[in-house]
Amino acid sequence: KSLGSVGKGGNSSGRRGCLLLGIIASLLGLIIALDDSLIGLWLSMIPGAFLQHNFDVFKSLLSEYHNDVDNVKNNLENEAEECEESLQIPSRSSSVGKLGMTVGISFMIGPMFAAGANPSFQSATYIAIFCILVSGASIFILPLPLASSKPSCNEKPDTCETQQSNEFTLSKMIKLQTPKTRAAMTLLVIRLNMALAFHIFNTIWPASLKARFQFGPSDHARFMSFIGITYALSQGFVAKRMINALGTNGKVHCIMICCTMLGIGRYIAFHTDHLVVVYAAFLFIINALGILNTVITADTGTIASKNEIGKLFGILQASESAAGMVGPVLGGTISHYLGKDAPLLAVVGIYTFLFFFMSWGYDGLVLSVSRDERKEMKKSM
């Protein structure tokens, strides 16, 4: 909700304010966690769950940066053809990949440090508070995109009507009235199902690791470090090269391959009795997730205008949060009534649905809008 409301405005206070709100929420949660009790642990999760959506705000900002870059590039192309060669402009997928890579590196460093240093809970909390404060300080020097630096409607009332639109609201997306709302609804279905599959699988995965391999805290730390470095490499190197190699025409096939890898990989990882096979399966799973997230995030940024990017990312984040509430309950219910393997079959079924859904509609509903937006931008220059 915070991303959709606070972050959607076309002024600097909206973007930066939303990021600071997330920092404050994280700090508050960590301070509550210092109580070192079960109740304190539960309460510490509430502020972040409500207000910490900074990663999605950064994705929204990244899309705005690229919109600004595209505008500058088109202007220069109109003035001089040779300017295109002098501009070293990274693609959206490359930038999204680098953002994801930093997250993956953090996932790697955190568990590795915990496994090596073995700090107490309070010491780890104080270290986390320090990292949050450093992150908060960096927000004040974060350059804002041109769209966020322009005067707000309060300063220029004449342009309010043209600057603000309400195309990306949940009610309009459900009605599927325009190509953009149909594209947004397609992305919403994809994000919702991906998150649902993740949370259903997580209801049975930790118990499965403990039952088969007697996983303890240090084992989980090593496993999470492996996931972190794999995700970093996937987002920073594999995704960009894979997307560039396949091109726009091969993007749908890339997505379908990722869905296949996710379904088969999770099935193998759950049933094997060899830890090496688990790591090998997750090597493919994490790379598939990295590529899929990079493609979807980059395409999301191309279908929304600069005034509605935050709103669209907010709706997508809300759908993933809803899946986070429904998924564990659904997974536990399925396991209780249909057996321990039933949640896994449900996860494979979701990826199978996504395979056929994206092969059917991703190009016609999402990529076609991106192509039309690029054509319109070039015409307007």
Side-chain angles (χ1 to χ4, degrees):
K1 180 65 176 177
S2 63
L3 178 59
S5 57
V6 181
K8 74 181 181 183
N11 53 59
S12 58
S13 61
R15 302 296 187 210
R16 190 165 280 151
C18 194
L19 291 170
L20 290 173
L21 198 62
I23 292 293
I24 293 169
S26 296
L27 279 175
L28 184 59
L30 290 170
I31 291 169
I32 295 172
L34 286 172
D35 181 52
D36 201 11
S37 66
L38 187 58
I39 294 176
L41 182 64
W42 283 101
L43 292 176
S44 68
M45 299 179 185
I46 296 175
F50 273 112
L51 301 171
Q52 170 54 282
H53 303 291
N54 282 14
F55 185 61
D56 288 274
V57 179
F58 282 125
K59 289 192 287 188
S60 175
L61 280 170
L62 203 60
S63 294
E64 290 196 54
Y65 291 146
H66 272 280
N67 287 343
D68 292 339
V69 168
D70 289 342
N71 288 333
V72 172
K73 181 182 176 183
N74 288 329
N75 282 328
L76 289 175
E77 283 177 352
N78 290 336
E79 292 175 6
E81 194 173 308
E82 61 271 13
C83 287
E84 184 179 2
E85 297 179 1
S86 64
L87 287 174
Q88 299 297 323
I89 300 174
S91 64
R92 287 179 187 263
S93 58
S94 174
S95 298
V96 172
K98 290 183 177 72
L99 184 64
M101 183 175 68
T102 60
V103 176
I105 291 172
S106 300
F107 278 140
M108 175 191 68
I109 294 175
M112 283 179 62
F113 174 79
N118 195 24
S120 66
F121 177 77
Q122 286 203 334
S123 298
T125 305
Y126 284 124
I127 294 170
I129 289 174
F130 172 76
C131 293
I132 291 291
L133 289 173
V134 173
S135 177
S138 66
I139 290 173
F140 289 100
I141 60 173
L142 178 72
L144 291 166
L146 297 178
S148 297
S149 304
K150 290 179 180 178
S152 65
C153 285
N154 292 331
E155 297 169 345
K156 286 191 174 183
D158 306 346
T159 59
C160 280
E161 190 175 339
T162 58
Q163 281 184 355
Q164 291 186 350
S165 59
N166 293 304
E167 190 161 12
F168 295 110
T169 61
L170 189 58
S171 59
K172 289 189 176 181
M173 286 168 59
I174 292 173
K175 293 176 182 177
L176 306 175
Q177 292 178 332
T178 66
K180 282 189 177 183
T181 56
R182 289 192 286 271
M185 196 63 189
T186 302
L187 294 169
L188 179 65
V189 170
I190 294 168
R191 283 289 189 188
L192 181 63
N193 279 277
M194 285 178 61
L196 201 59
F198 173 82
H199 289 290
I200 291 175
F201 186 75
N202 269 4
T203 60
I204 56 175
W205 180 241
S208 172
L209 284 176
K210 186 171 179 62
R212 287 179 295 161
F213 307 111
Q214 292 75 49
F215 252 47
S218 59
D219 298 303
H220 276 289
R222 284 192 291 270
F223 187 64
M224 290 304 298
S225 295
F226 170 77
I227 288 176
I229 186 62
T230 305
Y231 193 75
L233 292 173
S234 169
Q235 293 269 274
F237 300 99
V238 178
K240 174 188 173 182
R241 284 160 178 76
M242 179 72 74
I243 294 168
N244 289 341
L246 294 174
T248 305
N249 295 330
K251 191 177 286 187
V252 175
H253 294 100
C254 177
I255 290 171
M256 293 165 65
I257 291 170
C258 289
C259 289
T260 304
M261 290 169 62
L262 286 166
I264 294 175
R266 291 198 188 277
Y267 187 88
I268 292 173
F270 186 80
H271 282 293
T272 184
D273 290 324
H274 302 284
L275 190 57
V276 174
V277 178
V278 171
Y279 274 86
F282 264 82
L283 179 67
F284 287 96
I285 290 170
I286 301 305
N287 273 290
L289 278 174
I291 294 169
L292 202 54
N293 284 329
T294 300
V295 170
I296 293 172
T297 301
D299 289 339
T300 301
T302 62
I303 68 170
S305 66
K306 61 187 179 183
N307 298 312
E308 294 199 295
I309 288 175
K311 188 188 298 182
L312 179 56
F313 274 109
I315 292 173
L316 296 179
Q317 173 63 24
S319 71
E320 293 180 350
S321 299
M325 293 186 290
V326 175
V329 176
L330 185 59
T333 304
I334 293 173
S335 180
H336 179 74
Y337 288 103
L338 300 177
K340 64 177 184 177
D341 288 342
L344 177 64
L345 296 177
V347 169
V348 174
I350 290 172
Y351 287 127
T352 304
F353 162 74
L354 286 175
F355 177 91
F356 289 107
F357 178 73
M358 289 197 266
S359 65
W360 164 74
Y362 197 82
D363 182 73
L365 295 172
V366 178
L367 296 182
S368 61
V369 175
S370 300
R371 289 192 292 267
D372 292 342
E373 283 293 301
R374 285 194 292 269
K375 289 178 183 177
E376 287 295 325
M377 185 179 292
K378 286 184 178 181
K379 286 181 182 178
S380 63
M381 294 300 174

